[in-house]
């Protein structure tokens, strides 16, 4: 188990259909695998390879480049504290130390109950609201030590409802209705100039 | 509508009195919905474009001198002209992989006004006859992904995207894709590799200029989210109107994210060219000064990759050319302000560590060099620096970026500016970017380095170490 469920396999096929070449779907499918299991399993990578006509090694080769993909179990809530320049200026170092003490793990570690993984990450594009963090990629801004404690307590008590479990990113999926798509084909099947470009010639002739 | 205020539903954005070309809907709480977008002129720019020929739309963009907002500042209309004729299909790749330290404007544009982004993509595809658009959003930006996914689904249903758009012969699909945590994928050829399902390593230019050989080897236009966001307004109001804002060579507005030690950090829509750093930092409309009781020590004018500026450079206008001549770059509109409490060496280390972590490993000078730079800086900060370390740092830096590195003028020391850009021994600018914090701080604050290194030595002497004598 850890191959895609039937539902996810059909989502995977729909994702692949939105790219001119199946291999382009590798990153979205790795995200889908992580959404299903919380991390990327070997079986999921095998399944992705089957669906995209690639090899499991290619899937891992691509996936291992990107730090959001976890190839081992992580906490259900991954807390990413930004420590890049502005957050550093605004107190990220002491926030990180506080987080380590509160959770009882060092950066990179996962709590014994499997609930939290703590990471020290690069700029998360919230610099004016430093120090900033993300939990499963949901923002918390201008975070104080008290805010952090509250956040951890809220997650433990199940009241931080805006945060899905690790692996889930967008809660909305793109979907192109069958009768609305312009038609996505491999490049070698799209050699004709786009029809509306004939408007340029028509205008020149007038 | 409040003025001069934070907008609670758009944390970071500051609504001020300036002209609004791309943030006009930000103050509206439901700005990201199709209903609100349509009620406030959404897709009017697309309709205006479809009433003209593709060539006329392209000309309008070229006439507006719309400069690319991703960092390099190349005029979009000129870039569009690089597509070689007859090599169909052409693709559009929109870069929303915003990860440059200090930068965030694309995230707000995607979260607050996704329909404006989509409309800009459609105008581009129409003008150039593009076969498909890929909207590449940074992996960590879950809300932006959500807002764009919903906006795309709504726009497809309403007939703005897909087959026979608004009942015309114009048809194009937009595919939303997102990354998975890799700064380097913001580089356009690395982004293309990532979209092809590969590790995000940059390609060598030449020959791999995307407009010639891009996605799947086909001619590809790569533009930034903010660039796209300007197009609906531009189509509705025209190039002449657009050029009434900003300066002659940098028309229009730009989003600047000012963070760090200012009283009111924020993302501001600012007229380019006519506003100075001083006005931005101290103006009542903007950041309202350095935080209470402190003074400016230095600032990074264009994201983590930009050489640093100091109080002497405050009167530069927010315009690419003078900033470049002054030894840095406006880059991605990210300004980090540091007051006198900031440890220059430690701040430099943090940025260098970023480049060491994010180096993709393809080019040796960057892969090895950034790691060396980080280790040397780390030991200096830890009080274990050696007297030769400053020269060693500069030597490693010179292997990545040979020759004089761009740096701001230092009038008190009689030193002139060295203009941007740097030379590089690498495929992409990541490695050379790691040099910026090093040369900027060594030239200006060499005494801070020496103090850390000397302190280490004196501690060693008092402990009776013989190491110092060597």
């Amino acid at each position: 188990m850890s191959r895609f469920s039937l539902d996810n396999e059909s989502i995977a096929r729909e994702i692949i259909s939105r790219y001119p070449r199946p291999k382009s779907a590798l990153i979205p499918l790795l995200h889908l695998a992580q959404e299903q299991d919380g991390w990327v399993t070997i079986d999921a990578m095998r399944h992705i390879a089957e669906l995209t006509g690639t090899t499991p090694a290619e899937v891992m080769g691509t996936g291992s480049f990107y730090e959001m993909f976890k190839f081992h179990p992580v906490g259900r809530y991954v807390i990413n504290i930004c420590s890049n320049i502005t957050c550093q200026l605004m107190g990220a170092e002491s926030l990180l130390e506080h987080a380590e003490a509160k959770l009882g793990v060092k950066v990179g570690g996962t709590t014994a109950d499997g609930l939290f993984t703590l990471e020290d990450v690069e700029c998360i594009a919230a610099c004016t609201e430093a120090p900033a963090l993300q939990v499963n990629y949901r923002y918390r801004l201008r975070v104080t030590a008290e805010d952090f404690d509250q956040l951890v307590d809220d997650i433990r008590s199940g009241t931080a409802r805006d945060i899905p479990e690790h692996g889930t990113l967008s809660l909305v999926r793109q979907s192109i209705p069958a009768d609305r798509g312009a038609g996505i084909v491999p490049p070698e099947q799209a050699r004709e100039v786009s029809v509306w470009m004939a408007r340029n010639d028509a205008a020149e002739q007038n | 509508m409040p003025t001069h205020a934070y907008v609670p539903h758009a944390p970071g954005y500051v609504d001020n009195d300036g002209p609004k070309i791309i943030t006009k809907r930000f103050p509206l709480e439901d700005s990201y919905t199709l209903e609100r977008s349509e009620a406030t002129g959404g897709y009017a720019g697309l309709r205006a474009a479809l009433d003209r020929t593709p060539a006329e739309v392209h000309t309008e963009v070229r006439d507006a001198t719309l400069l690319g907002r991703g960092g390099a500042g190349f005029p979009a209309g000129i870039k569009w002209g690089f597509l070689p004729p007859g090599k169909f299909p052409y693709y559009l790749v929109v870069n929303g992989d915003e990860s440059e330290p200090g930068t965030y404007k694309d995230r707000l544009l995607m979260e607050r006004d996704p329909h404006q982004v989509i409309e800009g993509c459609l105008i581009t595809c129409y003008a150039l006859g593009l076969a498909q658009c890929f909207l590449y959003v940074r992996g960590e930006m879950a809300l932006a992904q959500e807002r764009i996914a919903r906006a795309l689904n709504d726009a497809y249903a309403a007939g703005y995207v897909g087959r026979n758009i608004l009942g015309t012969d114009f048809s194009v699909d937009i595919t939303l894709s997102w990354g998975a945590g890799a700064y380097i994928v913001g580089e356009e050829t690395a982004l293309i590799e990532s979209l092809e399902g590969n590790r995000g390593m940059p390609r060598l230019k030449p020959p791999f200029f995307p407009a010639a050989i891009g996605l799947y080897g086909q001619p590809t236009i790569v533009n930034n989210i903010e660039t796209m966001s300007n197009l609906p307004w531009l189509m509705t109001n025209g190039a002449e109107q657009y050029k009434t804002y900003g300066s002659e060579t940098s028309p229009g507005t730009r989003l600047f994210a000012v963070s760090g030690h200012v009283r009111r950090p924020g993302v501001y829509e600012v007229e380019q060219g006519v506003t100075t750093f001083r006005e931005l930092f101290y103006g009542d409309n903007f950041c309202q000064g350095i935080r209470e009781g402190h003074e400016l020590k230095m600032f990074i004018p264009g994201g983590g990759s930009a050489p640093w500026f100091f109080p002497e450079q405050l009167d530069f206008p927010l315009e690419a050319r003078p900033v470049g001549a002054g030894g840095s770059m406006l880059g991605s509109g990210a300004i980090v302000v540091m007051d006198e409490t900031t440890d220059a060496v430690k701040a430099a280390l943090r940025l260098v560590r970023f480049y060491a972590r994010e180096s993709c490993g393809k080019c040796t000078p960057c892969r090895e060099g950034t790691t060396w730079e980080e280790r040397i800086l780390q030991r200096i900060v830890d009080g274990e620096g050696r007297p030769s370390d400053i020269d060693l740092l500069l030597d490693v830096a010179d292997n990545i970026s040979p020759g004089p590195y761009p740096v701001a003028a230092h009038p008190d020391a009689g030193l002139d500016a060295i203009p941007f850009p740097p030379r590089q021994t690498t495929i992409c600018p990541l490695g050379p970017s790691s040099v910026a914090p090093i040369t900027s701080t060594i030239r200006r604050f060499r005494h801070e380095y020496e103090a850390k290194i000397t302190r280490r030595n004196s501690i060693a002497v008092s402990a009776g170490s013989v190491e110092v004598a060597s």
Side-chain angles (χ1 to χ4, degrees):
Chain A
M1 187 55 202
S2 289
R3 288 169 63 89
F4 285 125
S5 66
L6 283 176
D7 282 353
N8 280 340
E9 184 173 329
S10 99
I11 291 168
R13 292 188 194 281
E14 195 186 335
I15 290 171
I16 293 167
S17 75
R18 287 201 292 271
Y19 294 93
R21 295 204 196 285
K23 194 182 179 194
S24 286
L26 284 193
I27 292 171
L29 296 192
L30 284 159
H31 276 305
L32 185 64
Q34 187 150 284
E35 181 170 339
Q36 175 179 290
D37 299 319
W39 58 289
V40 181
T41 65
I42 298 276
D43 281 347
M45 287 188 276
R46 289 202 176 105
H47 200 175
I48 291 170
E50 289 167 25
L51 291 168
T52 55
T54 56
T55 66
E58 284 178 295
V59 177
M60 183 148 201
T62 293
S64 58
F65 186 81
Y66 300 90
E67 70 181 46
M68 286 173 74
F69 295 131
K70 311 298 181 191
F71 298 95
H72 49 82
V74 291
R76 280 156 60 200
Y77 295 88
V78 176
I79 301 180
N80 291 348
I81 297 181
C82 173
S83 66
N84 206 306
I85 184 79
T86 301
C87 285
Q88 180 192 48
L89 294 173
M90 305 307 282
E93 283 175 349
S94 56
L95 181 62
L96 264 170
E97 281 171 25
H98 177 81
E100 288 182 332
K102 170 79 181 173
L103 296 175
V105 294
K106 288 286 175 195
V107 164
T110 298
T111 54
D113 60 3
L115 201 54
F116 296 102
T117 295
L118 181 64
E119 292 185 343
D120 154 27
V121 299
E122 299 299 348
C123 187
I124 52 176
C127 316
T128 71
E129 311 308 299
L133 62 78
Q134 289 184 322
V135 186
N136 293 349
Y137 306 102
R138 266 63 185 176
Y139 284 97
R140 292 293 185 273
L141 305 172
R142 300 191 184 219
V143 182
T144 63
E146 294 72 37
D147 294 339
F148 186 84
D149 292 349
Q150 187 66 50
L151 171 66
V152 168
D153 294 345
D154 287 350
I155 292 172
R156 281 192 175 133
S157 65
T159 50
R161 292 200 183 83
D162 66 315
I163 306 173
E165 290 202 4
H166 181 253
T168 299
L169 292 168
S170 176
L171 297 175
V172 181
R173 286 189 206 287
Q174 183 183 7
S175 175
I176 300 178
D179 61 335
R180 284 294 314 142
I184 294 168
V185 295
E188 51 277 9
Q189 290 172 32
R191 297 288 182 214
E192 300 288 319
V193 175
S194 299
V195 288
W196 67 91
M197 295 306 274
R199 292 178 181 203
N200 286 335
D201 301 334
E204 270 174 31
Q205 281 160 16
N206 287 337
Chain B
M1 198 180 292
T3 55
H4 293 241
Y6 278 118
V7 179
H9 51 264
Y13 173 64
V14 181
D15 181 11
N16 65 13
D17 293 339
K20 288 190 179 68
I21 290 179
I22 50 177
T23 63
K24 58 183 179 292
R25 293 191 190 92
F26 281 25
L28 307 167
E29 195 171 348
D30 58 353
S31 61
Y32 52 89
T33 64
L34 180 59
E35 296 70 34
R36 180 58 65 194
S37 178
E38 284 180 320
T40 51
Y43 295 99
L46 173 64
R47 289 176 203 275
L50 290 174
D51 283 342
R52 300 195 239 173
T53 66
E56 286 166 351
V57 173
H58 186 170
T59 302
E60 191 81 48
V61 174
R62 193 161 38 211
D63 289 350
T65 324
L66 172 64
L67 303 180
R69 303 292 202 258
F74 195 80
I78 309 270
K79 188 191 251 188
W80 290 6
F82 292 155
L83 288 175
K87 291 189 71 180
F88 211 70
Y90 309 137
Y91 294 111
L92 174 64
V93 172
V94 179
N95 187 345
D97 192 50
E98 178 176 65
S99 352
E100 176 77 14
T103 312
Y104 82 105
K105 58 190 181 73
D106 297 337
R107 177 167 73 82
L108 288 180
L109 288 165
M110 294 187 283
E111 289 177 359
R112 297 308 313 168
D113 206 343
H115 286 286
Q116 182 173 253
V117 174
I118 292 167
E119 190 180 353
C121 298
L122 293 168
I123 291 166
T124 308
C125 290
Y126 175 73
L128 303 174
L130 307 184
Q132 192 177 344
C133 168
F134 300 87
L135 246 167
Y136 192 104
V137 180
R138 182 172 169 190
E140 289 91 337
M141 295 178 178
L143 182 62
Q145 294 155 13
E146 223 158 273
R147 293 267 165 88
I148 290 183
R150 176 157 294 150
L152 272 176
N153 290 348
D154 291 347
Y156 263 101
Y160 294 117
V161 189
R163 185 183 302 168
N164 299 121
I165 291 167
L166 294 172
T168 68
D169 56 354
F170 172 46
S171 301
V172 75
D173 282 315
I174 299 179
T175 297
L176 170 61
S177 214
W178 56 77
Y183 164 71
I184 188 56
V185 169
E187 197 279 336
E188 58 183 7
T189 60
L191 199 158
I192 287 169
E193 283 288 327
S194 182
L195 260 182
E196 291 184 4
N198 300 325
R199 298 169 75 82
M201 292 174 153
R203 298 171 174 175
L204 192 62
K205 297 189 278 190
F208 293 103
F209 289 108
I213 310 172
L215 187 64
Y216 312 123
Q218 295 299 126
T220 302
I221 294 294
V222 185
N223 274 146
N224 174 260
I225 291 284
E226 188 182 349
T227 313
M228 289 292 111
S229 298
N230 273 277
L231 293 171
W233 193 98
L234 178 55
M235 278 302 118
T236 311
N237 298 279
E240 284 313 306
Q241 191 66 23
Y242 186 80
K243 289 197 283 192
T244 62
Y245 299 106
S247 68
E248 199 180 333
T249 48
S250 295
T253 60
R254 264 192 86 167
L255 292 187
F256 285 92
V258 191
S259 64
H261 294 144
V262 286
R263 285 187 207 203
R264 191 174 64 174
V267 179
Y268 298 89
E269 184 164 358
V270 181
E271 278 194 75
Q272 297 193 90
V274 296
T275 314
T276 64
F277 288 105
R278 188 185 299 279
E279 285 160 3
L280 189 57
F281 296 170
Y282 295 94
D284 198 44
N285 266 354
F286 299 114
C287 300
Q288 302 176 339
I290 306 303
R291 63 180 180 167
E292 191 72 41
H294 294 279
E295 57 187 42
L296 177 68
K297 178 173 180 176
M298 57 214 169
F299 61 100
I300 309 176
S305 303
W308 300 8
F309 273 177
F310 307 91
E312 293 86 343
Q313 282 81 35
L314 273 173
D315 292 310
F316 275 118
L318 296 167
E319 181 165 7
R321 203 173 302 175
V323 170
S328 188
M329 63 164 179
L330 270 190
S332 49
I335 302 172
V336 181
V337 179
M338 294 174 263
D339 69 19
E340 85 290 349
T341 63
T342 311
D343 180 331
V345 187
K346 216 172 150 186
L349 165 63
R350 186 59 191 86
L351 280 169
V352 167
R353 187 174 139 211
F354 167 76
Y355 293 105
R357 276 185 174 187
E358 297 295 338
S359 174
C360 80
K362 187 166 184 172
C363 310
T364 312
C366 170
R367 183 185 63 240
E368 303 300 320
T370 53
T371 307
W372 271 69
E373 289 170 344
E374 184 195 352
R375 287 184 184 168
I376 299 164
L377 277 165
Q378 184 71 58
R379 73 180 179 220
I380 294 174
V381 167
D382 290 345
E384 292 166 5
R386 302 166 191 170
S388 56
D389 274 352
I390 296 178
D391 287 339
L392 184 58
L393 264 178
L394 292 172
D395 186 48
V396 173
D398 194 67
N399 283 329
I400 307 174
S401 222
Y405 192 87
V407 68
H410 187 2
D412 289 351
L415 297 170
D416 292 333
I418 296 167
F420 207 79
R423 296 200 294 166
Q424 60 193 57
T425 56
T426 51
I427 287 172
C428 91
L430 188 149
S433 297
S434 74
V435 177
I438 294 173
T439 47
S440 298
T441 50
I442 290 181
R443 187 186 222 197
R444 198 71 176 214
F445 304 112
R446 196 180 182 102
H447 55 279
E448 290 192 28
Y449 281 84
E450 287 167 348
K452 285 190 192 329
I453 292 168
T454 314
R455 191 192 62 201
R456 176 262 183 181
N457 282 351
S458 58
I459 292 166
V461 168
S462 65
S465 166
V466 293
E467 201 181 318
V468 159
S470 60

